[in-house]
Amino acid sequence: MTGTVEKRAVLAAFDDEEQLVDEHAGVALIEHPFQGYLNLRLDPANDVLGGAVANVLGVALPAVPNRTAQGDGVVVYWLGPDEWLLRTPSEDDMTVFGALSGALGDHWHALTDISGGMTHIAVGGEAAAAVLAQGVTIDLHPKVFPAGHCAQTVMARSNVLIAPTGDAGNAFDVFVRRSFADHVLTFLRDAAHDVGYRFSRKAL
Amino acid sequence: MSQPNRLDSGGRIDRDRPVHFTFNGARLSGFVGDTLASALLANGVHMVGRSFKYHRPRGIVGSGAEEPNAIFQLDEGAHTVPNPRATQVELYDDLVARSVNCWPTLEHDIGVVNGWFSRLLPAGFYYKTFMWPRSLWMTYERYIRKAAGLGESPMAPDPDRYERRNAHCDVLVVGAGPAGLAAALAAGRGGARVILVDEQNEFGGSLLGSGDSIDGVAAGEWVGRITAELEAMEEVTLLPRTTAFGYHDANFVTLNQRLTHHQPVRARTGCRERTWRVRAAQVVLATGAIERTMVFGNNDRPGVMLASAVSTYINRYAVLPGRQAVVFGNNDAIYRTALDLAAAGADVRAVVDSRRDAGGQWRSAAVERGVPVKAGCVVSRASGGRHVRAAEIYRLGDDGLGEAEDVIQCDLLAVSGGFSPAVHLHAQSGGRPVFDDARLCFVPGTSVQAERSAGAARAVFDLAGCLSDGAAAGAAAAREAGFDAGTVPEFDTAVVAGSPVEAMWLVPDRVAPGRGPKQFVDLQNDTSASDILLAAREGYRSIEHVKRYTALGFGTDQGKTGNINGMAILAGALGQSLADTGTTTFRPNYTPVTFGAIAARDVGPELFDPVRRTAMHDWHVENGAKFEDVGQWKRPWYYPRSGESMRDAVNRECLAVRNRAGILDASTLGKIDIKGPDAAAFLNMIYTNAWNRLGIGRCRYGLMLGEDGMVMDDGVTTRLADDHFYMTTTTGGAARVLGWMEQWLQTEWPHMKVYFTSVTDHWAVMSIAGPESRKVVERVCEGIDFSSAAFPFMSMREGRAAGVPARVFRISFSGELAYEINVPANCAQHVWDAVIRAGSDFDMMPYGTEAMHVLRAEKGFIIVGQDTDGSMTPIDLGMDWIVSTKKDFLGRRSLSRSDCVRTGRKQLVGLKSRDGVTVLPEGAQLVNEPSDATPVPMVGHVTSSYFSAALGHPIALAVVKGGLTRMGGSVHACTLDGRRIECEITSPVFYDPQGERMKQ
């Protein structure tokens, strides 16, 4: 009965759309589907837990608000004083989940797989910041918001997590809950009206 | 050349690029670089409208945002713009403008009779005459508005695009005149992120209309040089055609940028306007100053213009507004304008200076030029009808007018009553302008936010002063924003020794105000000096009251030219100082802003609010679903087949579930993962029932109450492990419930060790219900024993569904045997397809929310928010069985309030219409006996009502006072069309009252 499981990307309804202005896409919108997302909550005052997590991830959980950390095959985003988002390359690879669960054992924590509930839209190009700034109120300037930072904010009335992917101020990762992703992409395409956009999906 | 008032050379217009436009039906032409106002003046058009109340002829007065008269209806159809100031409309090809407030035409206006009877139309006339009897105001209002109205709003949907953009900067500089340019340069050179905005099409402000030189070059060239340097700075953003219209808390300033207004309508593409929402560390207000008019008889005649505007028309637009000029005022601006007029070839017949002994270099220059100066004199009246014809000049006596000096024929009367700094934004920021007795104007007071004013905006009126003041302000702002501004730029320009302004708020007349010709203070609202004096006589003291009584300062110009004069006249009448009189409130917006710019892209069904879709949404679309909005979610409502009515489709879907199997997309339910050693203890507090002894893998229904004891949400929660639960909430209540739980955890019970994580989006949920549902899910799932013994009602098992790790819950909202398969959402369509295939052998059908509502109503299951309204306790719902008496929980104490335990509360019951066929309208009010004397007491209302296909008759849920004790009794439902439908009160459980079917 079971063959291969055919997955459907969150933004499958928008396959390969583009709307150029003078043959130019001021912004590239790229969905990176099917990554792993783990929500981790634990008591930051418990050094045992912090150490155990650092062992597994190869990097300590960022303690400074709105910072990211790059571990072994995992990117960690600070979400709150006791909450982090872990991003791994594939939702099907439960290695990190298993290792963390093992390391944290019976200590009070919550490690929750939310891979199906998130997607990732990379927003890049010369107009990237100008397009995002139509929807978010935070300062996207690389002096203020350089690589290694992240911020949870509201874009087009949807909760999003934004992280710059360089210091040039022209590339950002946007993470959004599945059910809001259509709306956020609709907003981004509309916001790119005067500069043009190209939407695509990263092949697996 | 068809533009009689156009000068042969000079100005910032492009004589090689003519522009054709239409004004009141006449084809006229101007040049690129013109405003509509300058082009009209170039064509000799002075009279452009009729006044608001008296319908007097009115002409162009100013050259910028202050213009009270030249407001037009621009263009036509969907593109029409009401009330733009012609002084700020850049001329473009095929522009069509017409005067507002004159009917039937500008030349033959019917309302002019108001002028003949103006003695009968004093301040407050409308209030005094038409507000009684009050009931007739609605009748009067239509005609008054028609006669007095300004422009007309477009009736068609706005075809243009408007955007919004957020921005941050270290230094926001408002105004790009000499002070603003110097400030931006100083801050920009220091490395600060600078945004420089100016409402005009090019930077330079007053320099665009002056003959000054700076750093050895003409002012215009200097502006170009500085602008180029700013443009080259990476961190500097230049925004011309942009008005800072509001200054809000936290140094948040809103800007309105006009991107296509200057282009011919047919050539416009892209965004029309952009609203910038700027958060600035520091703000420099270099907003300049606005010239005041002089208040004398007939000072509203076309041809009476502000002196600075006359200079601007000559120098910037190469337009000479008149040939025989008289210039009148109380400050040095009159000499500058006289010199400009003389240089442009006008016959300056007199400069009338109300000051007896003004000296200074400006006057000397005018005298040298041979301009006749009449010092200590005033223009007491102007004469002329549709255009000024002469100025009546009097010598000032010790108290009022002295001897008649002269009557000078003229076609232009340039006036200057001094300058008022544009303190609007400072005042909006929270500052309180203070009156400066020496410079006779309100200047910015103490800064409340991180802002400072520079240049003419704080009454530094000379060019050299503006440049150095601006540079200092820009450097200081950059420093405070954390930048080393280095050396403050210095600029070289001539320092001119002037002579101070002297007060002349109301020019004396031969007769008392109100007896002679009208002396206008506020041209747009036809407020005259006598109106303000009348208000004072009638007992008005507060400037805010006088404003509302006389209309001083209302309208599209918000009294920019007249307010201060009016305040001074009131101060004089009350015998108090201007400082004590104060100003009216400066509110946003500085100039009018279109609704489009404020709404921006928050329009239309896709962008106004998020539309949330489930992982199976596209399947529902492909299978013909009609959708229902549930909160922000789109849920399949029903799936009509060709030719089916909604009722047909819903009946078919209901019967499929009752007789075979149906499948529902239930992904929208809120889902919260709850983990920690105190998870069960927390649930005990948040739900009315007890959770300690729920077995692992078992599910339980829970009710959540607010602190007031009223039902706020419900759902099924499952125990995954000792310390781990999986909660579901209503679709619309998910975010509220998570917030509610976090609030209690964080603020009241921080000692509890429990974490909540929203997993609503991670899990897609498909509910398979009906007697055949077990067979369907058995075909799809692996690793789960579906026998009732191994997998009883209200339990959960983990396994695989179509190869995907799944949690399967045996719970039922339909009363049938039912399973809910939860899978990670990226695999949901794959699993759904597999279930659909498996169900095809059983004639399983997809069903929507409407069938779901019917099925649950047949079982008497409530929907929070439909059958409850925030005033229902569990006891009212007949659900006391779920309320624990052995433990505490949120809302418990409220349940014993006297109001919660009294008799006669509305209680949930079932209703059956006695005729067996009528489906009651939801929301219908219920009465005991319709024939009772009116008002007939209402005893409840219908909350849910459907036709039950399974039962073959209509069913309804309702709340009825004391309903639980009235089983078998009658109420009458009242419909909007006047019917009274008798109903039997029944149990709310209509179908399978023993609940056997779901436990099979």
Side-chain angles (χ1 to χ4, degrees), chain A residues 1 8 116 133 136-137 139 141 157 177-179 190, chain B residues 161 166 168 193 235 601 608 612 618 761-762 779 826:
Chain A
M1 176 189 71
R8 189 172 156 84
V136 301
T137 59
D139 193 348
H141 193 283
R157 296 187 186 79
R177 281 171 63 170
R178 154 183 281 279
S179 57
D190 179 75
Chain B
R161 181 183 172 85
N166 296 290
H168 297 255
R193 240 197 302 174
E235 296 290 4
R601 298 298 297 154
F608 179 70
R612 302 176 70 182
D618 291 349
D761 285 75
H762 176 69
R779 291 192 178 193
N826 289 335

PDB file of all heavy atoms in Angstrom, chain A residues 1 8 116 133 136-137 139 141 157 177-179 190, chain B residues 161 166 168 193 235 601 608 612 618 761-762 779 826:
ATOM      1  N   MET A   1       0.834  -1.203   0.000  1.00  0.00           N
ATOM      2  CA  MET A   1       0.000   0.000   0.000  1.00  0.00           C
ATOM      3  C   MET A   1       0.874   1.260   0.000  1.00  0.00           C
ATOM      4  O   MET A   1       0.593   2.248  -0.668  1.00  0.00           O
ATOM      5  CB  MET A   1      -0.888  -0.001   1.232  1.00  0.00           C
ATOM      6  CG  MET A   1      -1.723   1.244   1.401  1.00  0.00           C
ATOM      7  SD  MET A   1      -2.533   1.255   2.999  1.00  0.00           S
ATOM      8  CE  MET A   1      -1.172   1.523   4.093  1.00  0.00           C
ATOM      9  N   ARG A   8       4.170  17.820  -0.454  1.00  0.00           N
ATOM     10  CA  ARG A   8       3.698  19.007  -1.154  1.00  0.00           C
ATOM     11  C   ARG A   8       4.236  20.218  -0.391  1.00  0.00           C
ATOM     12  O   ARG A   8       3.998  20.386   0.814  1.00  0.00           O
ATOM     13  CB  ARG A   8       2.173  19.005  -1.160  1.00  0.00           C
ATOM     14  CG  ARG A   8       1.545  20.065  -2.025  1.00  0.00           C
ATOM     15  CD  ARG A   8       0.043  19.827  -2.097  1.00  0.00           C
ATOM     16  NE  ARG A   8      -0.648  21.068  -2.422  1.00  0.00           N
ATOM     17  CZ  ARG A   8      -0.805  21.520  -3.665  1.00  0.00           C
ATOM     18  NH1 ARG A   8      -0.328  20.837  -4.677  1.00  0.00           N
ATOM     19  NH2 ARG A   8      -1.435  22.659  -3.883  1.00  0.00           N
ATOM     20  N   GLY A 116       6.390  20.586   9.870  1.00  0.00           N
ATOM     21  CA  GLY A 116       5.288  20.704   8.926  1.00  0.00           C
ATOM     22  C   GLY A 116       4.613  22.051   8.996  1.00  0.00           C
ATOM     23  O   GLY A 116       3.847  22.415   8.105  1.00  0.00           O
ATOM     24  N   ALA A 133      10.506  46.216   3.853  1.00  0.00           N
ATOM     25  CA  ALA A 133      10.168  47.378   4.678  1.00  0.00           C
ATOM     26  C   ALA A 133       8.747  47.865   4.439  1.00  0.00           C
ATOM     27  O   ALA A 133       8.240  48.685   5.194  1.00  0.00           O
ATOM     28  CB  ALA A 133      11.159  48.510   4.428  1.00  0.00           C
ATOM     29  N   VAL A 136       7.379  45.272   7.347  1.00  0.00           N
ATOM     30  CA  VAL A 136       7.901  45.162   8.711  1.00  0.00           C
ATOM     31  C   VAL A 136       8.384  46.520   9.193  1.00  0.00           C
ATOM     32  O   VAL A 136       8.856  47.334   8.413  1.00  0.00           O
ATOM     33  CB  VAL A 136       9.055  44.138   8.835  1.00  0.00           C
ATOM     34  CG1 VAL A 136       8.605  42.761   8.410  1.00  0.00           C
ATOM     35  CG2 VAL A 136      10.265  44.580   8.031  1.00  0.00           C
ATOM     36  N   THR A 137       8.239  46.737  10.483  1.00  0.00           N
ATOM     37  CA  THR A 137       8.626  48.034  11.038  1.00  0.00           C
ATOM     38  C   THR A 137      10.045  48.020  11.590  1.00  0.00           C
ATOM     39  O   THR A 137      10.569  49.070  11.930  1.00  0.00           O
ATOM     40  CB  THR A 137       7.657  48.436  12.163  1.00  0.00           C
ATOM     41  OG1 THR A 137       7.702  47.424  13.165  1.00  0.00           O
ATOM     42  CG2 THR A 137       6.246  48.578  11.656  1.00  0.00           C
ATOM     43  N   ASP A 139      14.158  47.823  11.867  1.00  0.00           N
ATOM     44  CA  ASP A 139      15.235  48.421  11.078  1.00  0.00           C
ATOM     45  C   ASP A 139      16.057  47.305  10.443  1.00  0.00           C
ATOM     46  O   ASP A 139      16.658  46.490  11.134  1.00  0.00           O
ATOM     47  CB  ASP A 139      16.110  49.276  11.998  1.00  0.00           C
ATOM     48  CG  ASP A 139      17.055  50.178  11.218  1.00  0.00           C
ATOM     49  OD1 ASP A 139      17.190  49.982   9.997  1.00  0.00           O
ATOM     50  OD2 ASP A 139      17.652  51.074  11.850  1.00  0.00           O
ATOM     51  N   HIS A 141      18.613  47.749   8.326  1.00  0.00           N
ATOM     52  CA  HIS A 141      19.935  48.223   7.898  1.00  0.00           C
ATOM     53  C   HIS A 141      21.025  47.322   8.479  1.00  0.00           C
ATOM     54  O   HIS A 141      20.983  46.966   9.650  1.00  0.00           O
ATOM     55  CB  HIS A 141      20.130  49.660   8.380  1.00  0.00           C
ATOM     56  CG  HIS A 141      21.295  50.346   7.752  1.00  0.00           C
ATOM     57  ND1 HIS A 141      22.587  50.110   8.139  1.00  0.00           N
ATOM     58  CD2 HIS A 141      21.361  51.267   6.754  1.00  0.00           C
ATOM     59  CE1 HIS A 141      23.402  50.870   7.409  1.00  0.00           C
ATOM     60  NE2 HIS A 141      22.675  51.577   6.564  1.00  0.00           N
ATOM     61  N   ARG A 157       0.562  41.484   8.879  1.00  0.00           N
ATOM     62  CA  ARG A 157      -0.305  40.916   9.923  1.00  0.00           C
ATOM     63  C   ARG A 157      -0.023  39.441  10.204  1.00  0.00           C
ATOM     64  O   ARG A 157      -0.876  38.729  10.710  1.00  0.00           O
ATOM     65  CB  ARG A 157      -1.779  41.091   9.572  1.00  0.00           C
ATOM     66  CG  ARG A 157      -2.195  42.543   9.519  1.00  0.00           C
ATOM     67  CD  ARG A 157      -3.696  42.695   9.349  1.00  0.00           C
ATOM     68  NE  ARG A 157      -4.004  44.083   9.177  1.00  0.00           N
ATOM     69  CZ  ARG A 157      -3.842  44.737   8.027  1.00  0.00           C
ATOM     70  NH1 ARG A 157      -3.402  44.102   6.972  1.00  0.00           N
ATOM     71  NH2 ARG A 157      -4.115  46.010   7.954  1.00  0.00           N
ATOM     72  N   ARG A 177       4.795  30.722   9.455  1.00  0.00           N
ATOM     73  CA  ARG A 177       3.934  29.561   9.675  1.00  0.00           C
ATOM     74  C   ARG A 177       3.194  29.206   8.394  1.00  0.00           C
ATOM     75  O   ARG A 177       2.788  30.066   7.627  1.00  0.00           O
ATOM     76  CB  ARG A 177       2.943  29.862  10.802  1.00  0.00           C
ATOM     77  CG  ARG A 177       3.576  29.734  12.180  1.00  0.00           C
ATOM     78  CD  ARG A 177       2.673  30.241  13.254  1.00  0.00           C
ATOM     79  NE  ARG A 177       1.437  29.472  13.336  1.00  0.00           N
ATOM     80  CZ  ARG A 177       0.557  29.586  14.320  1.00  0.00           C
ATOM     81  NH1 ARG A 177       0.781  30.435  15.302  1.00  0.00           N
ATOM     82  NH2 ARG A 177      -0.533  28.870  14.329  1.00  0.00           N
ATOM     83  N   ARG A 178       3.031  27.924   8.200  1.00  0.00           N
ATOM     84  CA  ARG A 178       2.443  27.382   6.975  1.00  0.00           C
ATOM     85  C   ARG A 178       1.155  28.093   6.559  1.00  0.00           C
ATOM     86  O   ARG A 178       1.018  28.517   5.413  1.00  0.00           O
ATOM     87  CB  ARG A 178       2.184  25.896   7.184  1.00  0.00           C
ATOM     88  CG  ARG A 178       1.082  25.291   6.343  1.00  0.00           C
ATOM     89  CD  ARG A 178       0.855  23.844   6.684  1.00  0.00           C
ATOM     90  NE  ARG A 178       1.870  23.005   6.064  1.00  0.00           N
ATOM     91  CZ  ARG A 178       1.835  22.600   4.792  1.00  0.00           C
ATOM     92  NH1 ARG A 178       0.859  22.984   4.007  1.00  0.00           N
ATOM     93  NH2 ARG A 178       2.768  21.817   4.321  1.00  0.00           N
ATOM     94  N   SER A 179       0.253  28.267   7.506  1.00  0.00           N
ATOM     95  CA  SER A 179      -1.060  28.773   7.114  1.00  0.00           C
ATOM     96  C   SER A 179      -1.013  30.256   6.736  1.00  0.00           C
ATOM     97  O   SER A 179      -1.950  30.762   6.138  1.00  0.00           O
ATOM     98  CB  SER A 179      -2.084  28.527   8.219  1.00  0.00           C
ATOM     99  OG  SER A 179      -1.659  29.131   9.414  1.00  0.00           O
ATOM    100  N   ASP A 190       3.208  41.396  -4.157  1.00  0.00           N
ATOM    101  CA  ASP A 190       2.567  42.691  -4.372  1.00  0.00           C
ATOM    102  C   ASP A 190       3.534  43.837  -4.057  1.00  0.00           C
ATOM    103  O   ASP A 190       3.594  44.826  -4.774  1.00  0.00           O
ATOM    104  CB  ASP A 190       1.313  42.795  -3.506  1.00  0.00           C
ATOM    105  CG  ASP A 190       0.622  44.128  -3.686  1.00  0.00           C
ATOM    106  OD1 ASP A 190      -0.027  44.307  -4.731  1.00  0.00           O
ATOM    107  OD2 ASP A 190       0.758  45.004  -2.808  1.00  0.00           O
TER     108      ASP A 190
ATOM    109  N   ARG B 161      -2.357  53.002  -7.265  1.00  0.00           N
ATOM    110  CA  ARG B 161      -1.675  52.166  -6.296  1.00  0.00           C
ATOM    111  C   ARG B 161      -0.987  53.061  -5.272  1.00  0.00           C
ATOM    112  O   ARG B 161      -0.349  54.054  -5.620  1.00  0.00           O
ATOM    113  CB  ARG B 161      -0.638  51.331  -7.045  1.00  0.00           C
ATOM    114  CG  ARG B 161       0.142  50.401  -6.174  1.00  0.00           C
ATOM    115  CD  ARG B 161       1.208  49.664  -6.988  1.00  0.00           C
ATOM    116  NE  ARG B 161       2.042  48.927  -6.066  1.00  0.00           N
ATOM    117  CZ  ARG B 161       1.755  47.712  -5.616  1.00  0.00           C
ATOM    118  NH1 ARG B 161       0.681  47.096  -6.049  1.00  0.00           N
ATOM    119  NH2 ARG B 161       2.530  47.115  -4.742  1.00  0.00           N
ATOM    120  N   ASN B 166       8.211  51.480   5.789  1.00  0.00           N
ATOM    121  CA  ASN B 166       8.802  51.834   7.074  1.00  0.00           C
ATOM    122  C   ASN B 166      10.260  52.200   6.854  1.00  0.00           C
ATOM    123  O   ASN B 166      10.927  51.608   6.007  1.00  0.00           O
ATOM    124  CB  ASN B 166       8.703  50.648   8.038  1.00  0.00           C
ATOM    125  CG  ASN B 166       7.259  50.319   8.341  1.00  0.00           C
ATOM    126  OD1 ASN B 166       6.577  51.064   9.023  1.00  0.00           O
ATOM    127  ND2 ASN B 166       6.770  49.205   7.804  1.00  0.00           N
ATOM    128  N   HIS B 168      13.961  53.872   8.946  1.00  0.00           N
ATOM    129  CA  HIS B 168      14.642  54.305  10.161  1.00  0.00           C
ATOM    130  C   HIS B 168      15.790  55.216   9.752  1.00  0.00           C
ATOM    131  O   HIS B 168      16.374  55.039   8.693  1.00  0.00           O
ATOM    132  CB  HIS B 168      15.201  53.098  10.922  1.00  0.00           C
ATOM    133  CG  HIS B 168      14.142  52.162  11.406  1.00  0.00           C
ATOM    134  ND1 HIS B 168      13.762  52.082  12.721  1.00  0.00           N
ATOM    135  CD2 HIS B 168      13.360  51.286  10.733  1.00  0.00           C
ATOM    136  CE1 HIS B 168      12.796  51.176  12.844  1.00  0.00           C
ATOM    137  NE2 HIS B 168      12.535  50.678  11.641  1.00  0.00           N
ATOM    138  N   ARG B 193      22.861  58.332   9.151  1.00  0.00           N
ATOM    139  CA  ARG B 193      21.828  57.985   8.184  1.00  0.00           C
ATOM    140  C   ARG B 193      20.823  59.129   8.185  1.00  0.00           C
ATOM    141  O   ARG B 193      20.179  59.397   9.193  1.00  0.00           O
ATOM    142  CB  ARG B 193      21.124  56.702   8.627  1.00  0.00           C
ATOM    143  CG  ARG B 193      21.242  55.587   7.603  1.00  0.00           C
ATOM    144  CD  ARG B 193      20.252  54.487   7.818  1.00  0.00           C
ATOM    145  NE  ARG B 193      20.334  53.840   9.126  1.00  0.00           N
ATOM    146  CZ  ARG B 193      19.466  52.940   9.531  1.00  0.00           C
ATOM    147  NH1 ARG B 193      18.467  52.595   8.752  1.00  0.00           N
ATOM    148  NH2 ARG B 193      19.577  52.383  10.714  1.00  0.00           N
ATOM    149  N   GLU B 235      24.461  56.907   2.753  1.00  0.00           N
ATOM    150  CA  GLU B 235      23.503  56.776   3.858  1.00  0.00           C
ATOM    151  C   GLU B 235      22.476  57.905   3.873  1.00  0.00           C
ATOM    152  O   GLU B 235      21.786  58.087   4.861  1.00  0.00           O
ATOM    153  CB  GLU B 235      24.249  56.733   5.193  1.00  0.00           C
ATOM    154  CG  GLU B 235      25.166  55.520   5.339  1.00  0.00           C
ATOM    155  CD  GLU B 235      24.391  54.221   5.495  1.00  0.00           C
ATOM    156  OE1 GLU B 235      23.142  54.241   5.426  1.00  0.00           O
ATOM    157  OE2 GLU B 235      25.043  53.179   5.675  1.00  0.00           O
ATOM    158  N   ARG B 601      -1.673  49.427   0.754  1.00  0.00           N
ATOM    159  CA  ARG B 601      -2.049  48.170   0.110  1.00  0.00           C
ATOM    160  C   ARG B 601      -2.975  47.317   0.979  1.00  0.00           C
ATOM    161  O   ARG B 601      -3.211  46.141   0.651  1.00  0.00           O
ATOM    162  CB  ARG B 601      -0.795  47.378  -0.261  1.00  0.00           C
ATOM    163  CG  ARG B 601       0.095  48.093  -1.264  1.00  0.00           C
ATOM    164  CD  ARG B 601      -0.594  48.339  -2.601  1.00  0.00           C
ATOM    165  NE  ARG B 601      -0.950  47.100  -3.274  1.00  0.00           N
ATOM    166  CZ  ARG B 601      -1.942  46.993  -4.149  1.00  0.00           C
ATOM    167  NH1 ARG B 601      -2.685  48.047  -4.440  1.00  0.00           N
ATOM    168  NH2 ARG B 601      -2.181  45.847  -4.721  1.00  0.00           N
ATOM    169  N   PHE B 608      -6.074  42.692   2.557  1.00  0.00           N
ATOM    170  CA  PHE B 608      -6.613  43.411   3.708  1.00  0.00           C
ATOM    171  C   PHE B 608      -6.343  42.665   5.007  1.00  0.00           C
ATOM    172  O   PHE B 608      -6.006  43.265   6.020  1.00  0.00           O
ATOM    173  CB  PHE B 608      -8.118  43.637   3.522  1.00  0.00           C
ATOM    174  CG  PHE B 608      -8.747  44.353   4.679  1.00  0.00           C
ATOM    175  CD1 PHE B 608      -8.474  45.684   4.913  1.00  0.00           C
ATOM    176  CD2 PHE B 608      -9.612  43.688   5.542  1.00  0.00           C
ATOM    177  CE1 PHE B 608      -9.045  46.356   5.980  1.00  0.00           C
ATOM    178  CE2 PHE B 608     -10.187  44.353   6.609  1.00  0.00           C
ATOM    179  CZ  PHE B 608      -9.902  45.684   6.830  1.00  0.00           C
ATOM    180  N   ARG B 612      -5.861  32.326   5.678  1.00  0.00           N
ATOM    181  CA  ARG B 612      -5.138  31.109   6.062  1.00  0.00           C
ATOM    182  C   ARG B 612      -5.783  29.911   5.380  1.00  0.00           C
ATOM    183  O   ARG B 612      -7.005  29.782   5.344  1.00  0.00           O
ATOM    184  CB  ARG B 612      -5.150  30.943   7.583  1.00  0.00           C
ATOM    185  CG  ARG B 612      -4.531  32.122   8.300  1.00  0.00           C
ATOM    186  CD  ARG B 612      -4.632  31.998   9.803  1.00  0.00           C
ATOM    187  NE  ARG B 612      -3.776  30.945  10.336  1.00  0.00           N
ATOM    188  CZ  ARG B 612      -3.725  30.614  11.630  1.00  0.00           C
ATOM    189  NH1 ARG B 612      -4.507  31.244  12.507  1.00  0.00           N
ATOM    190  NH2 ARG B 612      -2.926  29.666  12.047  1.00  0.00           N
ATOM    191  N   ASP B 618      -6.035  23.130  -1.882  1.00  0.00           N
ATOM    192  CA  ASP B 618      -6.173  23.037  -3.348  1.00  0.00           C
ATOM    193  C   ASP B 618      -7.073  21.865  -3.749  1.00  0.00           C
ATOM    194  O   ASP B 618      -7.791  21.938  -4.745  1.00  0.00           O
ATOM    195  CB  ASP B 618      -4.795  22.908  -4.003  1.00  0.00           C
ATOM    196  CG  ASP B 618      -3.988  24.195  -3.874  1.00  0.00           C
ATOM    197  OD1 ASP B 618      -4.584  25.220  -3.461  1.00  0.00           O
ATOM    198  OD2 ASP B 618      -2.779  24.172  -4.167  1.00  0.00           O
ATOM    199  N   ASP B 761      -0.019  24.493  12.993  1.00  0.00           N
ATOM    200  CA  ASP B 761       0.350  24.407  11.580  1.00  0.00           C
ATOM    201  C   ASP B 761       1.096  23.127  11.229  1.00  0.00           C
ATOM    202  O   ASP B 761       1.152  22.734  10.068  1.00  0.00           O
ATOM    203  CB  ASP B 761       1.203  25.617  11.189  1.00  0.00           C
ATOM    204  CG  ASP B 761       0.371  26.878  11.057  1.00  0.00           C
ATOM    205  OD1 ASP B 761      -0.025  27.435  12.108  1.00  0.00           O
ATOM    206  OD2 ASP B 761       0.096  27.288   9.922  1.00  0.00           O
ATOM    207  N   HIS B 762       1.703  22.516  12.241  1.00  0.00           N
ATOM    208  CA  HIS B 762       2.490  21.306  11.961  1.00  0.00           C
ATOM    209  C   HIS B 762       1.596  20.133  11.594  1.00  0.00           C
ATOM    210  O   HIS B 762       1.894  19.377  10.675  1.00  0.00           O
ATOM    211  CB  HIS B 762       3.336  20.948  13.183  1.00  0.00           C
ATOM    212  CG  HIS B 762       4.108  19.654  13.038  1.00  0.00           C
ATOM    213  ND1 HIS B 762       5.163  19.525  12.169  1.00  0.00           N
ATOM    214  CD2 HIS B 762       3.965  18.445  13.642  1.00  0.00           C
ATOM    215  CE1 HIS B 762       5.649  18.289  12.251  1.00  0.00           C
ATOM    216  NE2 HIS B 762       4.939  17.610  13.135  1.00  0.00           N
ATOM    217  N   ARG B 779      -7.664   0.502   6.197  1.00  0.00           N
ATOM    218  CA  ARG B 779      -7.000   0.292   4.914  1.00  0.00           C
ATOM    219  C   ARG B 779      -5.804   1.213   4.724  1.00  0.00           C
ATOM    220  O   ARG B 779      -4.919   0.939   3.922  1.00  0.00           O
ATOM    221  CB  ARG B 779      -7.979   0.535   3.760  1.00  0.00           C
ATOM    222  CG  ARG B 779      -9.048  -0.512   3.675  1.00  0.00           C
ATOM    223  CD  ARG B 779      -9.800  -0.379   2.367  1.00  0.00           C
ATOM    224  NE  ARG B 779     -10.801  -1.429   2.260  1.00  0.00           N
ATOM    225  CZ  ARG B 779     -11.440  -1.717   1.134  1.00  0.00           C
ATOM    226  NH1 ARG B 779     -11.187  -1.024   0.049  1.00  0.00           N
ATOM    227  NH2 ARG B 779     -12.327  -2.693   1.112  1.00  0.00           N
ATOM    228  N   ASN B 826       3.234  18.626   5.543  1.00  0.00           N
ATOM    229  CA  ASN B 826       3.828  18.490   4.206  1.00  0.00           C
ATOM    230  C   ASN B 826       3.416  17.182   3.531  1.00  0.00           C
ATOM    231  O   ASN B 826       3.490  17.057   2.313  1.00  0.00           O
ATOM    232  CB  ASN B 826       5.356  18.561   4.283  1.00  0.00           C
ATOM    233  CG  ASN B 826       5.835  19.968   4.598  1.00  0.00           C
ATOM    234  OD1 ASN B 826       5.147  20.948   4.328  1.00  0.00           O
ATOM    235  ND2 ASN B 826       7.016  20.074   5.200  1.00  0.00           N
TER     236      ASN B 826
END
